[in-house]
Amino acid sequence: PILANSTLQAIRGMNDQLPAETGLCQFLEQELGSLLQAYGYREIRFPIVEKTELFKRSIGEVTDIVEKEMYTFDDRNGDSLTMRPEGTAGCVRAVLQHGLLNEGVQRLWYMGPMFRHERPQKGRYRQFHQIGAEVFGLSGPDIDAEMIMMTARFWKMLGLNDVRLHINSLGNAQSRNRYRDSLVEYLQGHYEELDDDSKRRLLTNPLRILDSKNPDMRPLIESAPRMGDYLDDASSAHFTELRERLDAAEIAYTVDDTLVRGLDYYCDTVFEWITDTLGAQGTICAGGRYDGLVGQLGGKDCPAVGFAMGLERLIGMLATTREVVQNPHAYFVGVGDSVQIEMQTYAEKLRDSLPALRLTVNAGGGSFKSQFKKADRSGSELALILGEEELAQGIVAIKYLRDSAAEQTTVAADELAGWLAQNLKI
């Protein structure tokens, strides 16, 4: 049993989102969901928990995520299960399981919580939320460009100017392996200059050394061989056309030779949108091409590209610049026992006529004064007042709660919906 004086708290790094904070999250979900649908993407939903083997085969067993960060457990049947650390692997599994690739090109998007056991800090949590998009069946740079253009349009919609785009090409598996051998040879020649984390990665995932955040490693990384020098003709042409399309759309970018992404499945195009407003956790959206993953997970080879963006980081950027109003438009006050039923009936008729109306009806009774206090605390623009006299005359009194200069008025009950639509602009 729980002791009476014990205090239960959320798990570290897994945060509550209170009503005062959910408005901005709902706004982002609705805006980005609408944008994705406008580009022809359809929503897909898949489980939070998957077989551990899915992430080991897709992300890579020697990545930080699989080695240190996954929430993994054995269920009662002895199966190893993992709470999803990212969305792409689960999306590919769902597409394969249900044969969606047999239906042609798939443009899909998803939204929901992800889980990683990392050190919690601003912009990085153990339960976090992502919106992602994946496209299957298109191999050209045109779809890579579309994804980047779509995210650029989203920043414009949100009024976010302090974001910049970094792009790179990782080439195909053959060119990446050649580059990997050259990079390892170079780093082994400077082994004593590597920090402990880089020495570990040298044996497991040497490309991730290029992504080191240790400033002491920067001179060594800047002098390392460049991936661009190892691209084959096809990958080089793909990357050149991508840049031409971004140039034509007037989307500024930086070619970043150190951009490698942290997951094993990426190839050719990779990109990140970065900001300086969030401190160390500056990446707000990232993605790239992963043409080999579908075959790696048991399907026929199929080109694919995708991205994901973290909602908590976007909320952190928008919290100080954008206010999302969730307050009611109106609060219905009923004066006298005889009007309580009619007040609720009036309210339901208003909701029938004005689905967008945010209307709170007083519940629990109370004096006229106490109900008005509730109306004011709700943040409503208006108080709708129904007393026995108003009921007898077939009218509703209206008092402005935020504009002290506006005079109280009355409106016929059967004209109230039209009055509210005109005056509240809903």
Side-chain angles (χ1 to χ4, degrees):
I2 300 174
L3 298 177
N5 61 353
S6 66
T7 301
L8 291 174
Q9 296 187 346
I11 298 169
R12 185 168 180 254
M14 298 186 178
N15 302 329
D16 299 311
Q17 193 172 74
L18 303 180
E21 303 164 336
T22 55
L24 198 51
C25 186
Q26 290 171 349
F27 167 77
L28 286 169
E29 292 169 351
Q30 292 166 2
E31 290 293 301
L32 185 53
S34 296
L35 179 65
L36 285 157
Q37 289 172 359
Y39 273 75
Y41 290 68
R42 300 180 300 159
E43 185 179 7
I44 185 171
R45 302 184 182 188
F46 39 86
I48 288 175
V49 177
E50 299 272 6
K51 292 183 178 179
T52 303
E53 184 65 18
L54 171 66
F55 300 112
K56 287 185 176 181
R57 289 174 59 183
S58 60
I59 297 173
E61 293 200 47
V62 294
T63 59
D64 287 350
I65 293 175
V66 171
E67 285 185 328
K68 300 185 296 184
E69 298 171 3
M70 293 200 312
Y71 281 94
T72 297
F73 59 95
D74 291 338
D75 72 356
R76 294 182 179 182
N77 296 325
D79 296 324
S80 180
L81 305 180
T82 294
M83 299 172 71
R84 62 187 186 194
E86 56 93 44
T88 300
C91 188
V92 173
R93 192 271 311 148
V95 164
L96 289 176
Q97 180 175 336
H98 300 286
L100 295 187
L101 297 183
N102 299 328
E103 302 172 9
V105 172
Q106 296 292 318
R107 282 180 165 94
L108 305 172
W109 72 277
Y110 54 85
M111 170 173 59
M114 310 291 166
F115 303 86
R116 296 186 191 180
H117 193 280
E118 300 181 282
R119 183 173 63 86
Q121 54 185 293
K122 181 181 178 182
R124 174 174 284 181
Y125 306 103
R126 290 176 175 175
Q127 177 177 323
F128 56 99
H129 297 79
Q130 286 186 340
I131 292 183
E134 318 287 351
V135 176
F136 301 92
L138 295 174
S139 60
D142 50 356
I143 193 63
D144 303 10
E146 176 183 280
M147 287 199 145
I148 293 173
M149 292 174 187
M150 184 164 55
T151 50
R153 182 173 298 277
F154 190 50
W155 314 141
K156 187 176 181 180
M157 289 168 54
L158 297 179
L160 296 179
N161 299 316
D162 188 19
V163 289
R164 60 188 186 276
L165 173 65
H166 284 209
I167 63 174
N168 194 21
S169 176
L170 300 181
N172 58 25
Q174 293 75 27
S175 58
R176 192 163 60 255
N177 286 338
R178 290 195 301 271
Y179 173 66
R180 182 184 185 278
D181 293 342
S182 178
L183 179 64
V184 168
E185 182 180 357
Y186 165 79
L187 293 173
Q188 286 177 334
H190 298 269
Y191 187 80
E192 297 304 320
E193 301 173 50
L194 301 179
D195 58 17
D196 291 341
D197 193 45
S198 296
K199 288 178 180 177
R200 177 182 62 82
R201 285 177 167 166
L202 184 61
L203 301 174
T204 57
N205 196 349
L207 267 66
R208 287 305 312 279
I209 296 175
L210 300 175
D211 197 32
S212 172
K213 301 300 186 290
N214 183 351
D216 295 336
M217 290 287 297
R218 298 318 301 170
L220 185 62
I221 292 171
E222 289 172 0
S223 299
R226 299 296 181 188
M227 181 73 228
D229 296 332
Y230 292 79
L231 298 180
D232 64 7
D233 291 343
S235 292
S236 181
H238 186 107
F239 195 49
T240 297
E241 185 177 336
L242 171 65
R243 296 196 306 257
E244 290 173 350
R245 289 175 179 270
L246 297 179
D247 291 339
E250 298 183 345
I251 295 177
Y253 59 86
T254 297
V255 176
D256 184 351
D257 292 311
T258 67
L259 177 58
V260 295
R261 304 295 302 132
L263 310 180
D264 279 1
Y265 52 62
Y266 283 113
C267 65
D268 282 312
T269 303
V270 289
F271 65 90
E272 289 186 353
W273 288 96
I274 302 169
T275 179
D276 292 324
T277 63
L278 296 175
Q281 304 305 318
T283 300
I284 59 172
C285 174
R289 183 164 283 282
Y290 51 95
D291 293 344
L293 183 57
V294 174
Q296 188 177 322
L297 293 181
K300 295 180 180 179
D301 286 340
C302 176
V305 61
F307 70 79
M309 58 179 65
L311 288 183
E312 282 83 359
R313 295 184 186 180
L314 285 176
I315 290 171
M317 292 187 70
L318 290 175
T320 59
T321 61
R322 181 182 290 267
E323 181 180 2
V324 177
V325 178
Q326 285 187 304
N327 297 335
H329 290 113
Y331 190 102
F332 222 140
V333 173
V335 186
D337 294 339
S338 62
V339 305
Q340 298 303 312
I341 293 176
E342 291 295 337
M343 177 176 65
Q344 280 200 312
T345 302
Y346 278 21
E348 291 307 305
K349 289 180 179 178
L350 287 174
R351 292 180 174 116
D352 287 340
S353 301
L354 299 172
L357 175 67
R358 299 190 300 274
L359 174 63
T360 298
V361 177
N362 185 74
S367 66
F368 180 71
K369 183 177 180 180
S370 69
Q371 290 187 52
F372 249 94
K373 285 183 178 179
K374 293 179 184 178
D376 190 48
R377 285 198 300 267
S378 75
S380 299
E381 296 180 46
L382 304 173
L384 308 181
I385 306 165
L386 184 66
E388 293 177 356
E389 184 176 338
E390 286 83 10
L391 182 61
Q393 298 179 36
I395 62 175
V396 175
I398 300 173
K399 181 174 178 58
Y400 289 84
L401 298 175
R402 306 294 153 219
D403 185 356
S404 58
E407 295 184 0
Q408 181 171 318
T409 188
T410 59
V411 177
D414 58 1
E415 297 176 2
L416 182 57
W419 189 96
L420 290 172
Q422 181 178 354
N423 287 271
L424 295 175
K425 297 180 174 56
I426 55 176

